[in-house]
Amino acid sequence: MEADALAREADVIFFDGRFDQSHSPIKDALLDGIFDVEPENCNSRTELTYRRAIAIRESVGDFAGHVQEAHGLFALAEWAPILDVDLFSILVVHYNLVIGTLNDIGSGDPELEEVRKRLETLESFSAYMATEVGYGNNLAALRTEARYDRRSRTFLINTPEPAARKFMSTAGPAPFSKSAIVLARLFVDEQDHGVFPFLVDISDESGPRPGVAVEPAGARPGQFTDMATTSFKKVRITKGRLLSEGLAKLTDEGAFQPIIKNPRARFLRAASRLVHGRLCVASAAAGISRASVFIAATYSETRKTNAPGRTETAVADYLVHSREICTALARAVAVTAIVNKTRREFSLQGEDAALDASLCKVFATIEAWKIVTSCRERCGAQGTLSANRIADYLPFIDAMRTAEGDNLVLLSGAASQMLSKPPPARAKPPTLTEVGTSFEEMKAILEARYAELWHELHEAHELARSDNGVFEAWNAVSTRAIGLGRLSAVIAACTEMIEMAGRVEMLREPVRLLGEIFAMSEILEHQGWCVAEGVSPSDPAPGLGRRIDMSCLALRQDVRMVVAGFGLSSDLLRAPIVRT
């Protein structure tokens, strides 16, 4: 009964109460024997990953329906990279960016429907071609062209210059057909109507289609998806492959009739699946963060070492080791908290939650990189082996920091939007003490720091605007504004952790202790401000360091109970260091 109660609480904390509905079908698919197979080389690794993708689809009943629902899609993103990091690119790009775009703004053209069916059943795979060699974060300035031919009622897709070559994952040649969503500028005669998605067949079983040039980019460390550079030379597609439902209409005669009048708003709607994509990246970060902590925490209980006065002891008994594990666990719970909160709000608000989705993606991937790095180190040389999983997580999460939008760019944009909102109220922060300060008071200290920083930046920005252009004025405050964006995410994570703890009993105290460790680590980033504002009468670092130590000692016996709620096991992970 106690185990059942713990499982129910873990569902609330780690899966937002959606484990059975959204997560369990994907997790169970990872028990398939195909995940026992080890690839022989890079090429066989890529082929194996595609076979694993097919195995997952076949394992889940209505797979296309499961991932069409937002929480099912996010669950796929959360579990898929735990055993094979390349599955994230293959499946999430395919079902979110490609099929999702077809579902959202496809016209229902019979030809489109035929392709969609092949994609949904994985008879064909796909790529999403947005980024160009010379145009990454500025998608609205892409140069790939789609020129309309009135006589044949077709488009010619063309790469006008080397900088316009598409540079994307899952685009390389493979022993099956592939289609791609290609973002290109729609031209009628010489009139540029902006960037739209087009569905283009790029290869079949024998290789690239006529007019499509694919140049493999080579393997990335730890990742083997078929990244490639793709260019087009007058590739003809039918008019029905323009994806613009609800955005604009193009008559057979070439008259462009916008439904969304504002070009920027029209483009954002056309590329709106990128917002889903950011939450998919954040979900993957949450999944591999918890997996890394599970592996490191489990291994630390069985890995023995010598100790003063003892013949041997588990490395977890050393505070210097367990503090690292507890800090990583605290960060993993914080990542899980903000990811669940943002996904929940996104399912209600849709694209209105784009700002929160960007902040969530940035925070989750930055924290995941810290977590994975720390856990790799805690596993010693064993942590460098791909068989033990964590080594593969490192290059994956490093790549995710620039996937679906570079973190610095997203954080800068989010901070700019924050400064345009109504000002936060200033409040005197609580006094920080070594023992008595509660988690709620720690959050209040961070909120006070956010309000103070907001007003400082707003004043500096207004002053810069009086003497400079828009770009120069923003540049003057942008490096400090990034801190504002991060603080916002930190506060959101703390708020959700407090609320989560209030919804459970057995896990309440461990979650609150982990929240305090996380909040104290963040307050240490602002220790100069704490002294200047009287939050702490002196340097708070020594006192907070001792408080973190005490919290870690208090958590020593609860770490196993917390990580047991992750839904992971040695049978699932198949990592030698968690099977000992």
Side-chain angles (χ1 to χ4, degrees):
M1 294 296 291
E2 184 175 307
D4 291 341
L6 181 61
R8 287 193 295 272
E9 291 197 0
D11 186 11
V12 171
I13 297 295
F14 303 118
F15 304 105
D16 209 24
R18 305 187 66 89
F19 181 79
D20 288 343
Q21 179 182 355
S22 301
H23 294 263
S24 182
I26 305 299
K27 175 195 168 182
D28 291 347
L30 299 183
L31 294 170
D32 190 285
I34 197 167
F35 289 94
D36 297 333
V37 178
E38 291 299 326
E40 298 177 357
N41 52 52
C42 292
N43 289 334
S44 63
R45 166 75 179 262
T46 301
E47 182 182 344
L48 177 61
T49 300
Y50 278 102
R51 288 170 49 209
R52 286 171 170 173
I54 294 170
I56 290 177
R57 189 203 69 79
E58 292 176 345
S59 175
V60 180
D62 178 17
F63 186 73
H66 186 82
V67 296
Q68 187 174 341
E69 192 270 331
H71 288 289
L73 175 68
F74 299 147
L76 174 66
E78 193 165 313
W79 287 94
I82 289 176
L83 294 189
D84 185 338
V85 294
D86 291 326
L87 275 173
F88 177 87
S89 293
I90 289 173
L91 284 174
V92 174
V93 166
H94 186 82
Y95 282 99
N96 173 46
L97 294 178
V98 176
I99 294 178
T101 299
L102 285 171
N103 289 339
D104 289 351
I105 57 174
S107 64
D109 181 271
E111 189 177 349
L112 285 185
E113 290 304 305
E114 183 182 340
V115 175
R116 188 208 312 266
K117 288 177 183 176
R118 293 203 307 270
L119 294 172
E120 286 181 345
T121 58
L122 295 187
E123 293 176 54
S124 296
F125 282 88
S126 64
Y128 187 83
M129 297 188 174
T131 300
E132 296 176 354
V133 172
Y135 302 92
N137 287 301
N138 188 15
L139 294 184
L142 298 179
R143 290 292 179 265
T144 299
E145 299 174 350
R147 293 187 173 272
Y148 185 61
D149 181 352
R150 291 186 185 86
R151 290 174 298 177
S152 60
R153 297 177 182 174
T154 59
F155 286 97
L156 287 175
I157 308 297
N158 199 53
T159 303
E161 57 182 280
R165 290 173 295 162
K166 297 293 185 181
F167 182 65
M168 300 297 290
S169 63
T170 71
F176 36 72
S177 62
K178 280 190 180 181
S179 298
I181 297 289
V182 178
L183 297 191
R185 310 197 74 80
L186 194 165
F187 281 91
V188 179
D189 298 326
E190 293 306 312
Q191 180 66 45
D192 181 354
H193 294 291
V195 174
F196 284 84
F198 296 81
L199 181 64
V200 183
D201 296 329
I202 59 173
S203 64
D204 54 29
E205 293 79 357
S206 60
R209 298 292 293 269
V212 180
V214 179
E215 182 179 349
R220 293 175 290 177
Q223 291 183 274
F224 301 91
T225 45
D226 39 347
M227 176 77 76
T229 301
T230 307
S231 58
F232 304 93
K233 186 175 182 180
K234 296 182 179 180
V235 175
R236 192 176 295 275
I237 61 172
T238 61
K239 177 172 172 284
R241 288 182 173 235
L242 163 65
L243 306 179
S244 63
E245 190 72 15
L247 310 178
K249 292 182 179 180
L250 184 70
T251 68
D252 290 346
E253 293 71 30
F256 182 79
Q257 301 170 345
I259 298 171
I260 298 176
K261 307 297 182 184
N262 183 283
R264 176 170 173 76
R266 192 164 60 236
F267 170 75
L268 291 176
R269 174 66 183 128
S272 63
R273 296 304 297 194
L274 293 174
V275 179
H276 292 73
R278 285 168 193 153
L279 285 179
C280 287
V281 170
S283 299
I288 66 168
S289 292
R290 293 197 303 270
S292 296
V293 175
F294 180 92
I295 293 166
T298 302
Y299 185 45
S300 70
E301 297 289 348
T302 58
R303 185 184 181 193
K304 304 299 183 181
T305 186
N306 64 337
R310 300 186 186 183
T311 304
E312 65 176 17
T313 192
V315 293
D317 290 332
Y318 274 97
L319 179 59
V320 291
H321 186 97
S322 65
R323 175 166 167 164
E324 290 292 310
I325 295 292
C326 287
T327 301
L329 178 56
R331 293 188 184 280
V333 175
V335 168
T336 299
I338 194 171
V339 168
N340 282 338
K341 174 181 182 293
T342 309
R343 294 191 306 204
R344 191 187 320 128
E345 293 174 349
F346 180 80
S347 67
L348 298 173
Q349 301 174 23
E351 293 165 35
D352 291 338
L355 172 61
D356 290 339
S358 294
L359 282 174
C360 178
K361 181 263 177 181
V362 171
F363 176 80
T365 52
I366 289 175
E367 293 303 298
W369 187 86
K370 297 175 186 175
I371 293 163
V372 175
T373 300
S374 176
C375 289
R376 207 294 301 156
E377 292 175 354
R378 301 285 63 76
C379 293
Q382 291 280 357
T384 66
L385 302 177
S386 288
N388 289 322
R389 305 298 177 195
I390 299 178
D392 284 355
Y393 297 159
L394 272 171
F396 171 75
I397 200 61
D398 194 38
M400 290 301 101
R401 292 194 293 174
T402 52
E404 306 291 3
D406 183 292
N407 276 358
L408 276 179
V409 175
L410 290 179
L411 203 53
S412 178
S416 176
Q417 292 183 56
M418 289 176 193
L419 287 177
S420 66
K421 292 186 174 183
R426 281 172 157 150
K428 182 175 175 57
T431 301
L432 184 63
T433 61
E434 183 173 328
V435 177
T437 306
S438 68
F439 187 13
E440 286 80 2
E441 289 172 320
M442 293 176 190
K443 181 174 84 87
I445 290 170
L446 291 167
E447 288 171 333
R449 175 57 181 144
Y450 174 87
E452 191 65 31
L453 183 58
W454 189 97
H455 286 278
E456 288 175 10
L457 289 169
H458 190 268
E459 182 178 340
H461 189 229
E462 290 297 307
L463 181 63
R465 285 176 63 183
S466 64
D467 297 323
N468 299 282
V470 175
F471 176 70
E472 290 77 14
W474 176 245
N475 252 356
V477 299
S478 60
T479 54
R480 287 178 292 162
I482 286 172
L484 188 74
R486 175 171 171 79
L487 259 176
S488 174
V490 166
I491 293 165
C494 289
T495 301
E496 183 67 11
M497 291 174 80
I498 290 170
E499 293 178 1
M500 288 191 322
R503 297 198 294 267
V504 296
E505 294 182 8
M506 298 173 66
L507 290 172
R508 179 175 300 163
E509 190 58 26
V511 169
R512 287 187 63 84
L513 282 171
L514 290 165
E516 290 173 8
I517 292 171
F518 173 69
M520 286 186 283
S521 299
E522 293 300 325
I523 290 172
L524 283 172
E525 298 293 319
H526 305 277
Q527 52 188 294
W529 173 82
C530 288
V531 175
E533 292 297 316
V535 175
S536 176
S538 59
D539 182 1
L544 285 179
R546 289 188 292 270
R547 174 78 179 270
I548 291 173
D549 284 348
M550 292 184 341
S551 296
C552 292
L553 288 170
L555 277 166
R556 174 68 183 89
Q557 299 306 316
D558 289 332
V559 168
R560 278 176 287 183
M561 178 177 68
V562 175
V563 301
F566 291 173
L568 299 167
S569 66
S570 59
D571 289 341
L572 178 75
L573 288 168
R574 304 162 172 87
I577 57 174
V578 297
R579 283 180 161 169
T580 54

